[in-house]
Amino acid sequence: QVQLAESGGGLVQAGGSLRLSCATSISIFSENAIGWYRQAPGKVRELVAVVTTGDSTKYSESVKGRFTISRDNAKNTVYLEMNSLKPEDSAVYYCNTAIGRTGIPRGNSWGQGTQVTVSS
């Protein structure tokens, strides 16, 4: 059973925008903070943003002011709105449950993610 599913990635020019979606189950959505993470070639996986069940958020310094994470309670979905994209944002983006606002992943299981490629 798929419990978290990322979508919305694609190829975009620098300065453009994308919105990623993380579809979750009811139980996951209602009980957990959800984080967006990314991993680029030659880089470690890093936290991009996290949102708690109480809508508290945290962002990495590199995306503050450009990305917005949000929860849609009606759809059990977490979004990552990415604006003013830069080539260095290119990576595979993953969502996962997180330990509150810390953004620390709760588990070690990761899905396929969704590829974001930003061209110069």
Side-chain angles (χ1 to χ4, degrees):
Q1 179 179 341
V2 178
Q3 295 184 308
L4 299 97
E6 306 96 338
S7 63
L11 176 64
V12 64
Q13 292 180 310
S17 300
L18 285 172
R19 186 179 74 170
L20 307 184
S21 298
C22 176
T24 73
S25 68
I26 293 175
S27 60
I28 288 176
F29 188 87
S30 64
E31 298 173 6
N32 295 276
I34 303 294
W36 279 100
Y37 310 80
R38 67 186 182 188
Q39 186 168 27
K43 304 289 186 179
V44 299
R45 182 184 292 114
E46 64 174 340
L47 174 70
V48 176
V50 62
V51 59
T52 70
T53 56
D55 287 325
S56 179
T57 60
K58 183 176 71 175
Y59 299 89
S60 69
E61 291 296 326
S62 63
V63 308
K64 282 184 178 178
R66 300 188 298 120
F67 291 10
T68 302
I69 189 169
S70 62
R71 300 170 67 101
D72 187 329
N73 295 327
K75 298 181 181 295
N76 299 320
T77 298
V78 175
Y79 300 102
L80 184 67
E81 299 173 358
M82 306 185 296
N83 300 311
S84 302
L85 283 163
K86 305 174 180 179
E88 52 262 45
D89 294 318
S90 296
V92 177
Y93 284 70
Y94 305 87
C95 63
N96 208 342
T97 55
I99 304 174
R101 195 172 171 271
T102 68
I104 300 172
R106 284 192 174 275
N108 296 317
S109 180
W110 298 87
Q112 293 183 327
T114 185
Q115 177 72 54
V116 172
T117 303
V118 184
S119 62
S120 301

